[in-house]
Amino acid sequence: GRMRRRFSIRKKVCYFCENKVSYIDYRDSHLQNFLTERGKIVPSKLSGVCMRHQRTLSAAVKTARSLALLPYSR
């Protein structure tokens, strides 16, 4: 027969929508939470960030990288 799921899939809530963040600044300290240990940007499926904020987040991370505030991926 078919296997049943023992857990329900819950949609993650966007961190920026939940905290009503209007602008993602490249100098913010919470950008580190959206990077892996190797310095890569975490995809929105894993982080739960909506697509609108994921685009601005990636732009902010790339700006911070170019200004040497965040590391490039190793």
Side-chain angles (χ1 to χ4, degrees), residues 6-36:
R6 291 188 178 151
F7 57 91
S8 62
I9 298 174
R10 193 174 142 255
K11 179 129 172 56
K12 294 180 184 175
V13 181
C14 177
Y15 169 83
F16 300 105
C17 291
E18 191 177 63
N19 295 324
K20 296 181 178 149
V21 176
S22 58
Y23 177 70
I24 301 173
D25 197 13
Y26 64 92
R27 295 171 286 175
D28 285 342
S29 61
H30 62 78
L31 287 181
Q32 197 75 36
N33 299 337
F34 297 98
L35 297 178
T36 62

Side-chain angles (χ1 to χ4, degrees), residues 6 9 23 27 29 37-38 40 42 49 52 55:
R6 291 188 178 151
I9 298 174
Y23 177 70
R27 295 171 286 175
S29 61
E37 300 151 359
R38 298 183 64 92
K40 294 183 175 184
V42 176
V49 178
R52 188 180 84 200
R55 283 188 215 105

